[in-house]
Amino acid sequence: MTTDRPSSLRPRPPRAPSRSQRTTVHGQVRLDPWAWLADLEDPAVLAHLRAEQAHTEQATAPLAPLAAQLFEEIRARVAETDRSVPVAWGPWWYYRRTLTGLEYPLHCRAPRRPEDFDPPDPGNAPLPGEQVVLDENRLADGAAYLDVADVVPSPDHRRLAYTVDLRGAERYVLHVRLADQPDAPCERIAEVAAGVVFLDDRHLLYTRADHANRPWQVLRHRLGDPPEADEVLLREPDERFHLGLSRTKDGRYVLVESHAKVTSEIWVVPTDDPGARPAVLLPRREGVSYVAEHHRGWFLLLTDDQAPEFRVCGLPAQATGELPPRWRELVPHRPDVHLEALEVVADHLVLAERAGASPRLSVLPLPEDLGSADLPLPEGRTVPTPPDPAACWLGPNPDPANPTLRYEHTSLLVPRTTLDLDLRSGRSQVRKQQDVLGGYDPDRYDAARLWARAPDGERIPVSVVRRADVPLDGRAPCLLIGYGAYGHSLDPVFSSARLSLLDRGVTVALAHVRGGGELGRRWWEGARLTAKPTSFTDLLAVADRLVDAGWADPERIVLRGASAGGLLVGATLNLAPERFAGVVAEVPFVDCLTTMLDPTLPLTVTERDEWGDPLADPEVYRVMASYAPYDNVRPVPYPPVLATGSLEDSRVGCHEPAKWVQRLRAAHPANQVLLRVDLGAGHAGPSGRYAAWREEAFVLAVVLAFLGLASVPRPQSEEGSNVTS
């Protein structure tokens, strides 16, 4: 790969032998020449992946100086020694600190007075009386990977429970010890899933996963007892459902939630009776989902029962388990407002909402007695956020006595900002804004919300950002990012790493295509199951809009997507390979048809509510076979492609990008395709912050090479000098 515009890969890429596997499904014959790459027990597979990694390192060696420069730029913008805003919880302030040179954070606490809810002033120094309850760097102890999924204090704050994964396979070891004694003996329970919650000071609940990495059992552990004595409280036999655990804000109940994509069921365990059996809150009904919180003898339910965009209902605690439920409606369904989450803070109901593609928070006072109150509740007040395109979300609010609401907001121009809303006065106070070192000035950049027109007439939102001195003349190179699945939204958040592209004249756009959740339930349903191809034509429409509005050069658009976003960009690439200058597909779900045909693989059964079941439904098979990126590579020239994979990935197997890369290379001799393999990480990639920055710097260097900008320096002057491309 050259450092200007790539034209050839001088090193010869690895070629995996073709060992064609023939299958017949619904009368359709399918040949898979590289199916054998899914067998990680085959020594030849690991040898091939190592060869792919060596080839990528050799082919991208000319980009190493640029990647190193980008890493230093990213690092130089970050306050490496830093401290989060402390959170009031019981007799402590809880917070995290990072130290220069260390990959992982320190989880800390310091004493607080019961009446003090105003956090200490922003800064990065330890608070007086600090205790480091967990140092993740000590846990890593030289390991290549570390994921700490849970850090949970007991109700009396004497003990700490935490879960650790040192491989990336999302199978954890649960540790429990005294919180103020990091070197104290630990109780350890191996092979647990993420998610642990204390019932009381002596009992906790945790989950175990099945062969498909699905949390399907809830176990009760009494501290001091051997794990072999732990009792299985609940089993979920339906393979579509995952089990999860939470504790209500008031500490009265532990909730055990079983959830599939469109259906859920919750069981409750009272914390004052840790030996009790779980009792169902509302019996399962196919196609009805809900989440719950408890407040003053009522369960507050956020549910889509007769409400596609969700509503909030109150259910008396003594009326659990009944159908139809004897609930009272607190917040009615609104077709133009999607409710995503609820929280109870200091006798206030807080709702995370989406309206017009924008997230927002709404606060409503709760009456003392829901049973006699006039309902529905009056419309709440909306928490202020930056101008669109922007994002906001609830922060940690663990203490029910706290009269303030912790939340955060950001935008493409505004760094991540932590705020406290005084629920009595309605005033917000900024507690901290993410430091962006090196003289970042938002006025040097311009962000906008555009709307593209899809082939069926639907308007697709697009969030876009550029340097303000880059003219809107249709000559700017562009990085176009998409996801579009599971109802998850691709929010327009600030990225200091993105500045390295913007300062080199690159426009960055986020395509909010259907399949995501930006415009509510209908947006997800618009590209779910057999409607999935809508995502791909939406993405093409977004590219057209960027060109027509002058934000992008039609010859220099690079696509980027990860996981299901990798499927999005891979399928879109097959539709119009001539439209793009390059593609970056990270841990991409590109062999989706093969995966969804194999119910023994992790997540396949649980994913059927998203993608459909091609094994049982001929129409689902037909549609998926028509768009699966691996199955639809065309014998034509493609732009250069970088795919990434992780050996320990339990969500998207490393064989998916490996197979796709082989098929792309075989499709046409001119195709330049690279596979970057992490042999010691999982789906999320490198775990340490410096490792993650290096990985992002490498990807950005490749993006710049695809755009023909690998040799273009960033502006030396910060006084608004023009950017050339």
Side-chain angles (χ1 to χ4, degrees):
M1 179 179 292
T2 60
T3 54
D4 39 70
R5 195 172 185 89
S7 59
S8 66
L9 294 175
R10 293 187 176 92
R12 185 176 179 82
R15 294 281 179 168
S18 174
R19 306 176 188 172
S20 195
Q21 175 180 293
R22 179 188 178 98
T23 57
T24 302
V25 182
H26 305 302
Q28 303 297 311
V29 177
R30 185 166 176 259
L31 299 177
D32 189 346
W34 295 285
W36 66 275
L37 288 174
D39 183 8
L40 294 181
E41 300 299 318
D42 183 346
V45 172
L46 186 58
H48 175 73
L49 295 177
R50 292 187 186 279
E52 288 280 15
Q53 180 62 11
H55 169 67
T56 297
E57 291 174 359
Q58 184 181 9
T60 59
L63 294 179
L66 175 59
Q69 178 186 347
L70 290 165
F71 170 76
E72 292 302 329
E73 290 177 16
I74 293 170
R75 182 175 182 174
R77 297 188 191 104
V78 176
E80 295 178 65
T81 294
D82 203 3
R83 188 191 73 204
S84 67
V85 180
V87 174
W89 194 357
W92 301 95
W93 292 111
Y94 282 90
Y95 55 96
R96 302 201 312 172
R97 287 198 294 119
T98 55
L99 298 176
T100 300
L102 296 184
E103 290 276 13
Y104 302 103
L106 284 66
H107 299 260
C108 308
R109 69 183 186 184
R112 64 173 278 266
R113 296 175 299 175
E115 69 278 7
D116 190 2
F117 288 102
D118 286 331
D121 292 336
N124 56 25
L127 297 184
E130 177 183 272
Q131 295 177 1
V132 178
V133 297
L134 188 66
D135 182 348
E136 291 192 16
N137 301 281
R138 290 184 62 184
L139 290 179
D141 192 26
Y145 183 89
L146 172 72
D147 176 25
V148 178
D150 305 280
V151 181
V152 183
S154 60
D156 63 4
H157 298 268
R158 292 188 63 242
R159 290 177 175 82
L160 191 75
Y162 52 97
T163 51
V164 180
D165 171 22
L166 293 175
R167 290 179 50 203
E170 300 184 51
R171 289 186 177 265
Y172 298 84
V173 177
L174 169 61
H175 300 70
V176 187
R177 61 160 168 80
L178 293 174
D180 60 352
Q181 298 181 31
D183 296 318
C186 277
E187 294 189 38
R188 290 181 173 85
I189 305 175
E191 288 295 308
V192 307
V196 59
V197 63
F198 279 95
L199 272 168
D200 61 10
D201 297 327
R202 298 294 301 173
H203 299 83
L204 55 79
L205 301 183
Y206 63 94
T207 60
R208 282 200 189 280
D210 62 11
H211 69 281
N213 236 23
R214 175 182 70 98
W216 80 290
Q217 289 183 333
V218 172
L219 294 92
R220 177 166 46 210
H221 176 71
R222 186 172 65 182
L223 299 181
D225 286 355
E228 298 78 28
D230 293 350
E231 177 188 8
V232 177
L233 285 188
L234 202 64
R235 292 181 175 89
E236 176 51 80
D238 191 327
E239 293 183 85
R240 297 175 302 155
F241 287 78
H242 286 223
L243 293 177
L245 299 168
S246 64
R247 203 169 194 265
T248 59
K249 184 69 64 65
D250 59 9
R252 296 283 304 276
Y253 297 93
V254 164
L255 307 180
V256 181
E257 179 184 2
S258 185
H259 60 91
K261 293 293 187 293
V262 295
T263 307
S264 66
E265 185 175 36
I266 294 176
W267 293 266
V268 299
V269 182
T271 56
D272 60 2
D273 185 8
R277 306 298 303 178
V280 70
L281 179 54
L282 279 180
R284 184 176 307 181
R285 288 179 288 163
E286 191 65 33
V288 174
S289 62
Y290 64 97
V291 296
E293 181 55 273
H294 183 264
H295 177 69
R296 296 182 183 271
W298 287 73
F299 285 103
L300 307 184
L301 307 178
L302 180 66
T303 179
D304 60 356
D305 181 36
Q306 304 178 60
E309 303 301 341
F310 289 80
R311 58 178 174 151
V312 181
C313 297
L315 179 70
Q318 67 271 19
T320 58
E322 298 181 358
L323 278 180
R326 285 189 285 135
W327 57 30
R328 304 195 70 200
E329 189 173 72
L330 280 69
V331 179
H333 176 255
R334 292 165 289 173
D336 57 341
V337 178
H338 180 71
L339 303 184
E340 291 190 319
L342 64 76
E343 182 140 25
V344 176
V345 180
D347 294 327
H348 287 73
L349 176 65
V350 185
L351 298 174
E353 305 175 338
R354 285 189 181 271
S358 298
R360 69 188 189 191
L361 298 176
S362 183
V363 179
L364 302 80
L366 284 170
E368 286 192 18
D369 181 9
L370 287 177
S372 60
D374 291 332
L375 296 179
L377 297 174
E379 188 170 338
R381 63 175 181 269
T382 301
V383 177
T385 57
D388 277 338
C392 62
W393 57 91
L394 290 164
N397 293 281
D399 196 318
N402 195 338
T404 62
L405 171 74
R406 174 69 50 84
Y407 70 102
E408 295 186 306
H409 68 214
T410 183
S411 77
L412 295 176
L413 303 181
V414 177
R416 179 174 177 174
T417 306
T418 302
L419 305 97
D420 281 344
L421 172 69
D422 188 320
L423 294 168
R424 297 159 298 192
S425 68
R427 291 192 297 269
S428 290
Q429 181 175 352
V430 173
R431 297 300 186 184
K432 189 167 187 173
Q433 188 170 81
Q434 172 191 349
D435 289 324
V436 185
L437 307 182
Y440 169 69
D441 181 358
D443 290 337
R444 294 195 179 106
Y445 304 89
D446 182 31
R449 168 69 52 76
L450 307 179
W451 294 85
R453 184 72 67 178
D456 62 0
E458 184 66 79
R459 297 172 71 237
I460 314 300
V462 190
S463 300
V464 60
V465 61
R466 65 182 173 105
R467 268 186 67 118
D469 54 3
V470 172
L472 290 176
D473 58 2
R475 295 190 299 163
C478 177
L479 176 63
L480 176 56
I481 304 169
Y483 186 74
Y486 303 107
H488 293 173
S489 299
L490 183 66
D491 282 331
V493 301
F494 182 82
S495 166
S496 62
R498 187 189 296 137
L499 297 176
S500 290
L501 293 182
L502 301 179
D503 286 346
R504 288 172 172 83
V506 179
T507 294
V508 178
L510 308 180
H512 307 295
V513 300
R514 278 172 282 187
E518 288 86 349
L519 286 165
R521 184 68 169 264
R522 74 173 186 87
W523 209 242
W524 176 35
E525 298 286 0
R528 175 174 161 250
L529 302 174
T530 55
K532 183 59 192 172
T534 304
S535 292
F536 320 137
T537 51
D538 281 0
L539 190 59
L540 288 174
V542 167
D544 288 339
R545 179 73 175 102
L546 292 169
V547 170
D548 293 344
W551 284 80
D553 180 344
E555 302 296 322
R556 291 192 294 170
I557 299 176
V558 167
L559 297 178
R560 184 177 185 181
S563 193
L567 184 156
L568 171 70
V569 300
T572 305
L573 182 63
N574 285 335
L575 292 178
E578 73 284 353
R579 292 284 307 276
F580 303 103
V583 170
V584 175
E586 296 159 286
V587 292
F589 187 35
V590 284
D591 193 19
C592 53
L593 181 57
T594 304
T595 294
M596 295 306 298
L597 285 170
D598 187 352
T600 68
L601 292 176
L603 303 182
T604 292
V605 175
T606 61
E607 298 283 79
R608 287 173 178 166
D609 283 339
E610 176 70 24
W611 309 103
D613 183 358
L615 196 61
D617 189 330
E619 178 63 10
V620 171
Y621 181 92
R622 183 192 68 79
V623 173
M624 187 170 286
S626 74
Y627 71 72
Y630 174 66
D631 294 84
N632 289 279
V633 173
R634 296 158 54 192
V636 299
Y638 275 67
V641 172
L642 170 68
T644 72
S646 295
L647 188 64
E648 298 289 347
D649 193 340
S650 62
R651 296 174 181 262
V652 178
C654 193
H655 64 278
E656 295 208 23
K659 291 170 61 177
W660 185 50
V661 163
Q662 289 300 308
R663 182 155 273 172
L664 284 167
R665 288 181 186 146
H668 196 279
N671 289 348
Q672 307 170 53
V673 189
L674 297 177
L675 176 61
R676 183 173 171 90
V677 183
D678 194 323
L679 299 176
H683 192 63
S687 57
R689 57 177 180 156
Y690 293 99
W693 297 344
R694 288 188 179 91
E695 182 69 15
E696 181 67 8
F698 172 80
V699 170
L700 295 186
V702 171
V703 168
L704 289 169
F706 288 172
L707 292 170
L709 297 175
S711 59
V712 175
R714 64 195 291 263
Q716 297 302 307
S717 169
E718 294 294 341
E719 298 303 319
S721 61
N722 289 331
V723 180
T724 61
S725 56

